[in-house]
Amino acid sequence: MRTLHTKFLLAAALLTTSTALHAARFWPTSPLIQIGDDTDIFFDGSASMSLNDNLFSSENKVSGTSLTLSPGLTLEYAKDSPLFVTASFKRSQVSYYGSGNLSRLNNSQDSIGASVFIDQGGPLKLTLSSNYNEAARNDNLTQQGIDGKTIGETLVRQGNYTHSITADYRLTEKINANLTIANNYNRYLNPTKIRVYDLPPDNPSDYHDTYNTNSLSEKNTKSVTLNVTYQAPGDNITYGFKYSHDQNDFSPAAYFDYYTKTSTTNTVRPTAGTTDIVKSAKDFYGLTSSGKLTRSGKLSLTGSLGFSSSSTSQYDGGGSKLSGLSYNINLKHQLTDWVSHGIDLARSTAPTPNGTDSDTKTYGYTVIYSATDSLSLNFHVSKSDVAVGTTTVATMDYNLAAVYNYNRYLNFSATLDSLKTDIGSSSYLSNSFVIQASFRY
């Protein structure tokens, strides 16, 4: 841990010394490619290095280092017109190295997105967006009740899809309505097959093929969110009402156990009629508020407070219901011209694939020190308590970051993170250090 702190301080010091490079004056003043008067294409990429002393978030620590290169392109069409379109594509190549054989964790991830903004100058504004991004992870799966021995030291890859349409409508000068309809779902990609032989084997050909996704579920969520806000004349606070409805469909990952025996072959896969396939619904009704709480503007609030209810139903008739208080509160205070801080409080419930509900409470505190117009130092500490049935997961996370904006094209960051997790009677500690440079031209 001391080594990680030292590396963080060295990186923060290096960020402050790079201002001398400004004298080079070689930065461009236009996008990478311009097509006509309306279309701009930018190079948008980043490079980062991560050091982690507990790659798999378990009690048996395995340390390693990864290098991630993420080149990409962003297209903008008719930026200042009533119809504005933006699209982006990025591919991240992650390479692991360090102690042990970590090359099996090497992977590439794609991220594709497009948005259309329509604003004809009237009371109605529309935003349509569609995004696809790939993720690869091997940690925090135990928090979902996944057997770590089954997952093993492998990556769980998935594709995440998000499609949404948002309508903003100005009812009056002080009353606005916002409606969002969205669909989010995931698909697991290229799972790792693990072959396990019977011990002792009745026959050398007796084995069990399983996948590192066979305990996971895919989730399809359709949601509708309505916000109505009102701002009184001369008041710095906006009041509102929020209603949201989420419809979730869980299904087993598309890979399953396959058993081979000398006498018979048996394929095991969850199907309709088992308790492994779940439908659920969640509703929230609440009041919202945001704005400045004092005349000086140094104290501000953004929050929602209301009632949530969720229910799960299994195809065999089982399920559960949970309801109660739900809130999300963020309070910020400008302490001095250079220092600001704030607290976050939240409670929410959510369904899980096994037919139960999770009850999550989080608490956070943040301090931001703006050393210069270009350099800022941030410290954030958060605590999370998650209850799923009889299982409880408690986490404490400490995060220290330095962010340096060299100019509007290039910025650097260095982050030190320490996460302690307690799951029942077991616990583990994971520390990581990440440095990153992002470039947009």
Side-chain angles (χ1 to χ4, degrees):
M1 185 67 180
R2 180 177 298 177
T3 301
L4 290 178
H5 277 292
T6 303
K7 292 178 179 178
F8 174 84
L9 295 175
L10 288 174
L14 287 174
L15 295 181
T16 62
T17 61
S18 59
T19 53
L21 296 177
H22 276 294
R25 298 185 179 277
F26 60 87
W27 297 103
T29 57
S30 62
L32 177 66
I33 299 174
Q34 287 184 307
I35 303 175
D37 297 329
D38 297 322
T39 304
D40 296 331
I41 299 177
F42 299 87
F43 174 83
D44 197 352
S46 64
S48 65
M49 178 174 289
S50 175
L51 294 82
N52 197 313
D53 68 355
N54 192 349
L55 283 174
F56 308 110
S57 294
S58 63
E59 293 181 89
N60 300 322
K61 289 187 175 183
V62 177
S63 61
T65 303
S66 65
L67 175 66
T68 303
L69 301 177
S70 303
L73 294 174
T74 298
L75 179 146
E76 295 181 352
Y77 171 75
K79 184 174 183 179
D80 298 319
S81 71
L83 178 64
F84 171 41
V85 179
T86 179
S88 63
F89 170 80
K90 182 176 290 187
R91 162 158 287 194
S92 298
Q93 182 64 45
V94 185
S95 301
Y96 283 86
Y97 57 95
S99 60
N101 178 23
L102 301 180
S103 61
R104 62 189 178 280
L105 303 181
N106 294 347
N107 67 96
S108 61
Q109 304 168 26
D110 291 332
S111 177
I112 305 171
S115 298
V116 179
F117 306 91
I118 303 174
D119 182 3
Q120 302 292 335
L124 178 63
K125 298 179 183 179
L126 292 175
T127 303
L128 296 85
S129 65
S130 183
N131 296 276
Y132 168 78
N133 69 83
E134 295 176 353
R137 73 189 197 282
N138 49 51
D139 59 353
N140 297 326
L141 293 172
T142 52
Q143 297 184 24
Q144 302 179 23
I146 308 304
D147 182 4
K149 295 181 180 179
T150 300
I151 298 299
E153 296 180 359
T154 58
L155 285 177
V156 175
R157 294 175 51 83
Q158 66 180 20
N160 302 289
Y161 303 79
T162 302
H163 313 290
S164 67
I165 178 171
T166 299
D168 293 286
Y169 192 81
R170 187 174 66 252
L171 298 170
T172 68
E173 184 178 352
K174 297 296 181 181
I175 301 177
N176 293 276
N178 173 281
L179 177 66
T180 299
I181 302 173
N183 182 208
N184 304 279
Y185 56 94
N186 72 296
R187 297 288 183 267
Y188 289 102
L189 310 172
N190 304 321
T192 300
K193 183 170 70 173
I194 304 170
R195 175 161 294 186
V196 180
Y197 290 90
D198 291 346
L199 296 174
D202 299 326
N203 187 289
S205 62
D206 290 353
Y207 59 84
H208 169 205
D209 279 350
T210 187
Y211 293 85
N212 66 335
T213 59
N214 76 326
S215 299
L216 301 175
S217 295
E218 296 176 343
K219 180 181 178 182
N220 189 321
T221 302
K222 298 177 176 64
S223 60
V224 177
T225 303
L226 173 65
N227 286 283
V228 179
T229 60
Y230 169 76
Q231 185 173 13
D235 199 342
N236 292 326
I237 300 179
T238 298
Y239 306 92
F241 169 78
K242 178 180 179 179
Y243 167 73
S244 65
H245 174 78
D246 297 326
Q247 185 72 42
N248 305 286
D249 290 295
F250 294 95
S251 60
Y255 299 90
F256 48 90
D257 288 354
Y258 185 77
Y259 292 87
T260 298
K261 293 288 185 182
T262 54
S263 58
T264 182
T265 297
N266 181 27
T267 298
V268 180
R269 182 181 188 182
T271 57
T274 72
T275 59
D276 291 317
I277 301 179
V278 180
K279 287 181 176 292
S280 69
K282 178 181 177 181
D283 294 281
F284 172 81
Y285 307 84
L287 301 176
T288 64
S289 180
S290 63
K292 307 294 185 180
L293 298 180
T294 60
R295 291 184 178 181
S296 65
K298 291 185 177 182
L299 187 64
S300 60
L301 170 71
T302 302
S304 62
L305 175 65
F307 175 84
S308 67
S309 63
S310 61
S311 62
T312 60
S313 60
Q314 300 166 339
Y315 287 105
D316 64 353
S320 66
K321 292 184 179 181
L322 182 67
S323 61
L325 184 67
S326 181
Y327 52 85
N328 193 332
I329 300 171
N330 174 255
L331 189 64
K332 294 182 179 179
H333 177 235
Q334 190 70 36
L335 192 61
T336 69
D337 292 339
W338 304 278
V339 179
S340 63
H341 61 149
I343 59 173
D344 298 279
L345 304 173
R347 178 180 186 258
S348 63
T349 60
T352 64
N354 62 5
T356 61
D357 290 280
S358 65
D359 186 351
T360 303
K361 298 177 182 178
T362 58
Y363 320 88
Y365 176 72
T366 303
V367 179
I368 301 174
Y369 172 59
S370 301
T372 67
D373 292 338
S374 301
L375 178 65
S376 65
L377 302 176
N378 313 317
F379 173 74
H380 177 72
V381 57
S382 64
K383 185 179 187 301
S384 173
D385 295 309
V386 183
V388 183
T390 58
T391 302
T392 58
V393 180
T395 62
M396 284 292 298
D397 186 36
Y398 301 89
N399 184 281
L400 180 63
V403 180
Y404 178 66
N405 296 310
Y406 175 63
N407 57 25
R408 65 191 181 103
Y409 304 101
L410 181 65
N411 65 76
F412 303 92
S413 66
T415 304
L416 178 66
D417 189 86
S418 181
L419 176 68
K420 184 179 185 300
T421 303
D422 296 298
I423 306 175
S425 59
S426 64
S427 65
Y428 66 82
L429 180 65
S430 178
N431 301 300
S432 64
F433 175 70
V434 180
I435 54 174
Q436 177 172 298
S438 300
F439 178 64
R440 176 182 166 91
Y441 163 35

